[in-house]
Amino acid sequence: MFAAVLGVAGMAQAQEDITITLVPGLTTDAFYITMNRGAQAAAEALGITVDFQGAEEFDPVLQTPVLDAVIARQPDAILIAPTDSVQMIEPLRRANDAGIPVITVDTFIDDGKYQDGAGDGDFPISYIASDNVGGGRMAARFLAERIGGKGKVYVSNVRPGISTTDQREEGFKAEMAENYPDVEVLETQYNENDASLAASQFQAVLARNPDIAGVFGANLFSALGAGNGVDGAQKSEDVTVIAFDAPKSIVDNISSGLVDAAIAQHPAEIGYYGVMTAYAVLTGQSVPTSIGTGFTVIDADNVNNEDIAKFIYSE
């Protein structure tokens, strides 16, 4: 899958006048900081420039003017993590109409299936990300095994309409329904990326379900909040918390026992392959319409392993 992209560095002479802009979901999150490190490594290898421009919150209302400003500067290509699968279609169409190739990273627009002639958002060249449905399934399997294959659990999520977290929830629920019939998945709790709200939501779920056995936090703040809620209720021995993503804050919580495990994406790979894919497009090479990157499960058994350290996100 990666052959067409990885061969580019050796096929074409570095062109210092190529500029690619990476627009993250937000600039302050360790996941996107790590993604940018991978992007910069690729840029250095190719001898090109990659700019990192974004908003400080994950919000399409804030991302759109950032994107418009980027389009006005006419970079050679745009890598972007769209903050809404529907609301960011038209803003990104403006880039496409301006002749700027668009590649989405981490999140997608429309259904994430590009260049197929179907849907309003099929115009991006490629989508580079983790298999979020698969990651949700992995979280479900790990949680189900930890609670002995039975009990009540729920998903702590951000809000509907974010492609990645929607897919993680989808994968989690599908895995439980198909393979763990004795696990009851309660109603999803949406927290708008507010860890304090996620913590209070756990308290409310606990009040209704004193036998709650587990929580899957579909992103950083969901997991941190759920972990804090469990700790505040003094239920750490009884409730398993699985996190998605692995910044240092989550890893510290694994070490302390507040979080039981994290499904770590490989954001540096996403950034690296994003830049390589954009460069391939700009130098006339064919590229796949989707590129998937992997996961690593971090738990108390391996959190201090030197081989795991490379999967902990940069702060």
Side-chain angles (χ1 to χ4, degrees), residues 144-215:
E145 295 303 319
R146 280 293 180 96
I147 65 175
K150 61 181 179 180
K152 296 178 181 178
V153 304
Y154 75 93
V155 179
S156 179
N157 207 340
V158 185
R159 63 176 178 270
I162 300 172
S163 62
T164 48
T165 50
D166 283 351
Q167 288 188 320
R168 293 165 197 168
E169 180 180 342
E170 173 193 341
F172 181 88
K173 289 181 173 178
E175 183 69 20
M176 289 300 193
E178 293 167 15
N179 296 308
Y180 300 96
D182 294 328
V183 175
E184 180 183 354
V185 181
L186 303 176
E187 183 180 358
T188 298
Q189 301 296 305
Y190 293 108
N191 56 59
E192 291 293 333
N193 241 7
D194 184 334
S196 296
L197 179 56
S200 65
Q201 286 172 337
F202 172 79
Q203 302 280 349
V205 172
L206 177 64
R208 297 190 298 269
N209 302 274
D211 55 345
I212 187 75
V215 185

Side-chain angles (χ1 to χ4, degrees), residues 69-267:
V70 168
I71 294 169
R73 290 193 292 272
Q74 286 286 307
D76 294 290
I78 292 174
L79 304 178
I80 186 169
T83 50
D84 190 279
S85 58
V86 175
Q87 293 183 54
M88 292 308 298
I89 291 176
E90 291 310 314
L92 280 170
R93 191 187 305 281
R94 292 196 284 272
N96 185 70
D97 290 346
I100 304 170
V102 173
I103 293 168
T104 65
V105 289
D106 180 41
T107 52
F108 57 75
I109 56 172
D110 205 355
D111 60 359
K113 298 176 182 178
Y114 301 150
Q115 301 293 313
D116 63 357
D120 293 332
D122 78 319
F123 54 83
I125 304 297
S126 186
Y127 170 49
I128 302 166
S130 309
D131 175 359
N132 285 287
V133 173
R137 284 183 174 273
M138 183 182 295
R141 289 193 295 271
F142 199 92
L143 176 54
E145 295 303 319
R146 280 293 180 96
I147 65 175
K150 61 181 179 180
K152 296 178 181 178
V153 304
Y154 75 93
V155 179
S156 179
N157 207 340
V158 185
R159 63 176 178 270
I162 300 172
S163 62
T164 48
T165 50
D166 283 351
Q167 288 188 320
R168 293 165 197 168
E169 180 180 342
E170 173 193 341
F172 181 88
K173 289 181 173 178
E175 183 69 20
M176 289 300 193
E178 293 167 15
N179 296 308
Y180 300 96
D182 294 328
V183 175
E184 180 183 354
V185 181
L186 303 176
E187 183 180 358
T188 298
Q189 301 296 305
Y190 293 108
N191 56 59
E192 291 293 333
N193 241 7
D194 184 334
S196 296
L197 179 56
S200 65
Q201 286 172 337
F202 172 79
Q203 302 280 349
V205 172
L206 177 64
R208 297 190 298 269
N209 302 274
D211 55 345
I212 187 75
V215 185
F216 169 44
N219 79 330
L220 169 62
F221 295 106
S222 300
L224 286 175
N228 288 335
V230 170
D231 185 53
Q234 298 183 329
K235 286 288 185 178
S236 295
E237 296 297 320
D238 305 313
V239 180
T240 297
V241 179
I242 307 299
F244 207 99
D245 285 331
K248 188 175 183 300
S249 53
I250 287 290
V251 173
D252 288 345
N253 283 351
I254 293 173
S255 298
S256 70
L258 201 63
V259 170
D260 294 272
I263 311 300
Q265 300 184 80
H266 299 170

